[in-house]
Amino acid sequence: MPRLLAFGEVLVDWIPLEFQRQGKIDIPICGQYPGGAPANVAVAVAGLGHQALMLGQVGDDAAGHYLRDCLVRQAVDCDYLLSSKHYATPMAFVSLDAEGERSFSFQRSETADLKVRLNDFPQQVLEEEGILHVCSNTLTENDIAETTSSILSAAKQAGLLISFDVNIRLPLWVSTEQLFQRVIDTAAASDMLKLSQEEWDYLSKLGQVDDLAAFLFERGVSLILLTDGAEDVQLLTAKWQTSLATPKVTVVDTTGAGDAFTGAWLASLLQQNICKRESLTQAIDSQTPLLDALQAAVVAGALAVTKRGAWSALPSAADIHAFIQSKE
């Protein structure tokens, strides 16, 4: 059976739950949630019944042990999640506004996730059929960007389908010029690209590109997924494009929405054995397999915002199916 390989950071998300009054001060009470965009996607795919492997590194510390245990409990294969005795596990601190929208600050300098290299993994990890999924947080510094490029090259040579979620976190970047070039280079090495309308507009302006879709298709991208919060989701290919409205739901926390969307999308592709560039090309020509995957992804993203947290908010296959059935 084809499987997902998720490469990148696993970290602790500190998310505010409530405020506690102490004298004249309101103290935020935060929950320790497992997170990291690639890890969230791996958990989503595993929860939808497919094999998911996590490739990366955490610290040999309390946070790293906690994250590994959480992943294992979610049926994610951690045989290739390394532990470092020299570097700490990264952390993110999440703030939520009145509408549930997020902002981030990070504790991610000289952390374990930045120190992993391709030759730290056995060669056979990329030899089985499946999809490799990466995000842009492994492009922010020179060494981990080089590792990401090496993994993409090895995966492409092995025949894996490659998925890239742009997922820009600006506080992690030193150079916007470097950001644009590394994101575009990674997109060019990928088959499928997912990004938000905000990221679309930012990259278009930063690179002074009038038609970003054409720009990406010319560089080898086969398919683009463009999300815009509660607005319609767009699916773009060089041959055709479509859009799908997102269901109207009550928003509690948007933390895991994008990763729930991506996880359901990739799980649907795995279910349909779309895990090579050739099978993706056939699916683009057919359209129907991708429209089915898009519907599942849109519903998963909508359901995820109705609960707090990243992993705890991920819907099951039964949740997605029941929601779709209720609307038919």
Side-chain angles (χ1 to χ4, degrees), residues 228-243:
D228 189 14
E231 302 303 316
D232 293 2
V233 176
Q234 298 181 57
L235 191 164
L236 312 173
T237 75
K239 296 181 178 180
W240 55 272
Q241 64 183 64
T242 190
S243 63

Side-chain angles (χ1 to χ4, degrees), residues 2-6 38 41-42 44-45 48 50 131-134 161-165 192 194 225 259-275 293-294 296-297:
R3 59 189 186 163
L4 177 79
L5 300 176
V41 171
V45 169
L48 292 170
H50 299 274
I131 301 173
L132 173 69
H133 179 69
V134 300
L161 197 64
I162 299 174
S163 164
F164 174 38
D165 183 354
M192 303 178 292
K194 185 262 181 188
L225 293 166
D259 300 322
F261 173 95
T262 302
W265 166 263
L266 295 176
S268 183
L269 296 189
L270 290 169
Q271 181 67 35
Q272 300 177 79
N273 205 33
I274 302 171
C275 53
L294 181 63

